[in-house]
Amino acid sequence: MRSVRPAPAPAKGASSPPGHGGFTTTQRRLGRDWRLAALFLAPTAVLVGGLVLVPIAWSVVTSTMERHGQQSVFVGLANYIALAGDEQFRTGVVNSFVFTAYAEVFKVVLGLTAALLLHHLRRGRALLAGLLLLPWVVPTVVTAFSWRSLLDPIFGSVNMLLTESGIGPLLAKAHLVDSWPAGWLSEASLAMPSVILVNVWKGVPFFTVAFLAGLKAIPADLYEAATVDGASSWQRFRHVTLPGLRHVITVTVTLSSIWTFNNFDLIWLLTQGGPGNATAPYVLVAYSKAILQLQYGAGAAVTLVMLPVIGGLVFVLVRLLRRDAGTELPRRARTARKTRNVGTAEKARKARKAMPWVVTAAIVGLLAWVSLHILWKSAVVLGVILLVAAAVGRVVSAFQNWGHRRTSSLVSKLASGVALAVLLFFVLAPLYWIAVTAFKSEGQIVMREHDLWPTPWTLQQFTDLFATKPFGRWYLNTLLVSAASTAVALVCAALAGYALARLRFRGAQGFTVTVLITYVMPGALLFIPLYQLLIGVRLTDSLWSLVVTYPTFTLPFATWLLAGYFSSIPVELEEAALVDGCTRLQAFGRVVLPLAKPGLLAVALFTLTNAWNEFLFAFVFITKDEYKTLPVGMQSMIAGDVVPQGQLAAASLLVSIPVVIMYAFGQRFLTEGLTAGAVKG
């Protein structure tokens, strides 16, 4: 998962170097520090321009071409027109919309619930937050494998537990599933809800962390005033908590929607778009046309026709983040001066207030039209959650009104404890299953003996993994590619982030917005033109293809985060160094960089993790076993219906442990590094 922070504005307090004198004509036009800014921004500009902006432009050109044998023929808008009658494309768009809409609703509900439960804890908050963060930390391939095994209709533990508890047959009687035992990933009616469930499990930690930051930013005085006025728990939540989190929710949902709408790896690893095309998103349609059928023009048209949707989400996100940076207040002031008519302003206020409800109604209507069977099932699940929460709130409020504050507190703590226990079980059960399966013998796995506790424990799966698969080579490949891309991101982002935060030059705001846009641009828009580029320079099936392309998603984020961190360092420290005779470069190297170590470590941790977990580029660009990375190598271990569960569990454990250890030891630096760039409420 990624993090998001408001766009930093160039420092206004930085003074000119001593003895600077008057500005030249060029400096007045381009800014005082334009030469140093050009030097610092050049590496990032070259990489972002060459790997993101140019490929997108080339993708537009490619979409107007059609492959005929070895030749590409210009066909104009024919590829776009053909999509109107393409049933596979229409299904892919609907699937992406359904997948995103339901996943975001449940991530908001569960993430807000988890954040509220953790926010009111006095002890053990850090430990529980760390445990809830694990689904976000573990690689996507591990997530997909664990849930794919758990949801297996014959050997999966989900059907077994639901059958033994009696819940499974009850679900069938309530028509929430068509039959029992359920084929969660093999039945068309259940495959999409199952994939949504796994995405929710993976994404809830991101929402929890964002909402926790937002809750901490709400002044306690507001809750105290509401309590004095006699507001109930529900009224405090409705009139204080939700308004305080409105901005955080909007930013988080917008960013998460961009990622979810363009998701490829999780769906591919779980179902490969099946059964039929029941779960195939539009990205998989583009992959099928461009990579499998070698129709680059048709594949590029699929991704580009979705660009307005992504562009709209990015526009909303940029507006929200620029508002955080203080650029919205002057605009509002100008608007207020222009619209002096009180009636016009009141109408505008009512329109803004009604807009979320209009959007919600439109989305619900579309969902009812395209996926009524999922809509009513989701409504039942959400209804049960909300009814239980409302019932507990009523009981707590009743005891408070009767003067039984101790009983009210006891009921509240008991309900919170039960909710946390259920949430932790949901989060940790798949990870526990991986851990125990890795130490089972092949006989225990096949015969379903000692399912929850291996007896005896054995290292057979680990020895078989290294003996029968080039797992060690995959591990080394992943380590080399991740380290190289992280080093590139750190060096380039440190220079560019400092320039955006400190130097004064024309175009700083535009460059900052460009970095944000490239940061949120999905790999779905890039993998086709980048694949063509790599074929042209003969870099496919080599580690260099990954080292060259990974900066497309590591560098923009690193630049964005470090620019915010550099802005938080007092400018007076640099001014003192300049007064003492340091040049701007010396002040950067001797003063700023040492103080920015937490930010640099946070960037290194995030970029290393993203490179370690990356699947789409490695899956498309690499086909030879000796160059595969861990996610692609583990996926190749599954041959049709033959799934080596024990070896995959052992591989998942070995893949996840380094990332978990890095987050455990780097948590302090990560928190400090993200403080300057946290999501603001």
Side-chain angles (χ1 to χ4, degrees):
M1 278 297 172
R2 302 175 188 173
S3 182
V4 62
R5 39 163 306 281
K12 297 179 180 179
S15 61
S16 302
H20 180 71
F23 293 149
T24 65
T25 303
T26 305
Q27 286 177 321
R28 284 195 296 269
R29 290 179 178 177
L30 302 180
R32 183 193 66 197
D33 304 315
W34 72 273
R35 290 185 178 179
L36 190 59
L39 177 66
F40 275 32
L41 292 174
T44 299
V46 170
L47 288 174
V48 169
L51 296 175
V52 179
L53 301 180
V54 171
I56 289 178
W58 179 248
S59 185
V60 174
V61 175
T62 301
S63 68
T64 63
M65 311 293 288
E66 186 174 292
R67 189 183 181 96
H68 288 247
Q70 298 297 322
Q71 302 295 323
S72 293
V73 180
F74 178 77
V75 294
L77 299 178
N79 287 321
Y80 295 95
I81 296 173
L83 293 179
D86 191 331
E87 180 65 28
Q88 185 185 19
F89 169 72
R90 290 201 299 269
T91 301
V93 173
V94 170
N95 287 339
S96 294
F97 169 71
V98 170
F99 178 63
T100 302
Y102 289 111
E104 296 310 306
V105 169
F106 280 96
K107 281 188 278 192
V108 168
V109 172
L110 294 180
L112 184 56
T113 302
L116 289 170
L117 292 173
L118 293 176
H119 182 66
H120 291 100
L121 277 182
R122 295 184 178 179
R123 296 180 181 179
R125 181 191 299 175
L127 175 61
L128 291 176
L131 291 175
L132 289 176
L133 202 63
L134 286 176
W136 184 33
V137 173
V138 298
T140 302
V141 66
V142 176
T143 299
F145 157 68
S146 59
W147 278 98
R148 181 170 173 170
S149 300
L150 287 170
L151 295 174
D152 186 276
I154 299 175
F155 301 104
S157 297
V158 170
N159 275 356
M160 181 190 70
L161 291 175
L162 292 178
T163 299
E164 292 181 356
S165 64
I167 297 176
L170 187 62
L171 293 176
K173 290 181 180 179
H175 301 290
L176 290 173
V177 296
D178 294 335
S179 60
W180 194 259
W184 299 102
L185 296 175
S186 58
E187 295 180 15
S189 61
L190 291 177
M192 180 59 79
S194 301
V195 171
I196 292 171
L197 170 69
V198 179
N199 182 264
V200 169
W201 181 85
K202 182 76 173 173
V204 162
F206 173 69
F207 281 73
T208 302
V209 171
F211 293 161
L212 267 177
L215 288 171
K216 291 178 182 178
I218 299 176
D221 301 349
L222 298 178
Y223 289 104
E224 294 174 1
T227 303
V228 170
D229 291 340
S232 63
S233 300
W234 166 248
Q235 290 172 328
R236 291 195 298 271
F237 173 76
R238 180 183 175 185
H239 297 292
V240 179
T241 303
L242 283 182
L245 289 177
R246 183 185 296 119
H247 184 75
V248 177
I249 292 173
T250 306
V251 172
T252 307
V253 169
T254 303
L255 188 63
S256 178
S257 296
I258 296 171
W259 300 333
T260 307
F261 190 78
N262 295 281
N263 188 284
F264 172 84
D265 49 357
L266 183 65
I267 296 176
W268 176 266
L269 291 167
L270 281 170
T271 64
Q272 295 189 0
N277 289 319
T279 59
Y282 88 96
V283 184
L284 196 149
V285 176
Y287 167 80
S288 174
K289 291 181 180 296
I291 307 303
L292 300 183
Q293 302 173 23
L294 296 180
Q295 292 295 336
Y296 300 126
V302 170
T303 60
L304 289 173
V305 82
M306 289 291 102
L307 192 57
V309 177
I310 302 168
L313 293 173
V314 171
F315 175 77
V316 171
L317 186 61
V318 171
R319 288 282 298 273
L320 290 168
L321 296 185
R322 290 183 66 189
R323 182 182 304 174
D324 272 349
T327 59
E328 189 72 9
L329 292 178
R331 186 191 67 80
R332 285 187 173 183
R334 291 193 300 269
T335 304
R337 286 195 296 269
K338 291 179 181 179
T339 58
R340 297 180 183 275
N341 188 316
V342 177
T344 303
E346 182 64 21
K347 289 180 181 178
R349 186 188 67 81
K350 290 181 178 179
R352 287 195 301 269
K353 191 173 182 180
M355 183 58 66
W357 297 104
V358 174
V359 173
T360 301
I363 292 175
V364 171
L366 284 173
L367 290 175
W369 179 44
V370 300
S371 60
L372 183 60
H373 68 290
I374 302 179
L375 180 63
W376 78 265
K377 294 175 183 177
S378 301
V380 169
V381 175
L382 285 175
V384 170
I385 295 174
L386 295 177
L387 283 175
V388 171
V392 172
R394 284 294 182 91
V395 171
V396 171
S397 297
F399 279 118
Q400 286 180 341
N401 295 333
W402 296 337
H404 302 297
R405 295 190 176 274
R406 180 175 296 181
T407 306
S408 171
S409 176
L410 181 62
V411 172
S412 178
K413 290 180 179 179
L414 180 62
S416 298
V418 172
L420 269 176
V422 173
L423 192 61
L424 284 173
F425 177 80
F426 173 65
V427 166
L428 298 179
L431 302 178
Y432 174 80
W433 186 89
I434 290 175
V436 297
T437 303
F439 294 96
K440 295 177 183 177
S441 65
E442 199 63 37
Q444 291 181 55
I445 295 173
V446 174
M447 302 302 296
R448 301 296 306 278
E449 296 176 347
H450 310 290
D451 226 17
L452 300 180
W453 191 259
T455 305
W457 290 64
T458 177
L459 297 177
Q460 175 190 345
Q461 304 300 338
F462 295 92
T463 56
D464 290 347
L465 176 65
F466 283 93
T468 61
K469 303 290 188 300
F471 187 77
R473 184 64 193 178
W474 298 340
Y475 217 102
L476 180 61
N477 292 341
T478 307
L479 185 62
L480 291 174
V481 171
S482 301
S485 60
T486 299
V488 171
L490 274 178
V491 173
C492 296
L495 296 173
Y498 177 78
L500 295 175
R502 282 289 193 262
L503 304 182
R504 303 178 70 174
F505 60 97
R506 185 179 298 275
Q509 186 65 35
F511 195 94
T512 304
V513 173
T514 302
V515 169
L516 172 64
I517 292 174
T518 56
Y519 165 49
V520 297
M521 277 298 164
L525 293 175
L526 299 175
F527 77 92
I528 295 175
L530 286 176
Y531 182 67
Q532 292 179 281
L533 174 65
L534 293 173
I535 289 179
V537 297
R538 298 184 179 181
L539 273 184
T540 54
D541 276 326
S542 73
L543 296 183
W544 284 109
S545 65
L546 305 183
V547 174
V548 168
T549 56
Y550 277 11
T552 57
F553 59 85
T554 58
L555 181 56
F557 165 75
T559 303
W560 195 252
L561 182 65
L562 285 180
Y565 195 86
F566 287 140
S567 296
S568 70
I569 298 175
V571 70
E572 292 79 12
L573 298 176
E574 281 181 85
E575 293 176 345
L578 294 173
V579 170
D580 290 340
C582 285
T583 64
R584 177 74 76 168
L585 283 174
Q586 289 172 331
F588 171 67
R590 297 177 182 178
V591 177
V592 177
L593 282 183
L595 293 174
K597 283 183 180 178
L600 293 172
L601 288 171
V603 165
L605 184 58
F606 269 97
T607 53
L608 187 64
T609 304
N610 284 334
W612 188 271
N613 297 342
E614 201 283 325
F615 178 80
L616 178 59
F617 286 1
F619 180 66
V620 173
F621 302 155
I622 303 295
T623 58
K624 295 181 180 178
D625 266 353
E626 60 265 32
Y627 297 122
K628 288 180 179 178
T629 56
L630 285 170
V632 179
M634 291 176 61
Q635 186 269 340
S636 68
M637 292 170 61
I638 302 174
D641 294 332
V642 180
V643 181
Q645 292 190 17
Q647 292 184 29
L648 280 171
S652 299
L653 207 58
L654 293 175
V655 170
S656 302
I657 286 176
V659 181
V660 173
I661 291 176
M662 284 191 295
Y663 271 89
F665 282 96
Q667 187 175 12
R668 178 172 63 88
F669 299 104
L670 180 63
T671 303
E672 186 177 349
L674 292 178
T675 298
V679 179
K680 290 185 178 180

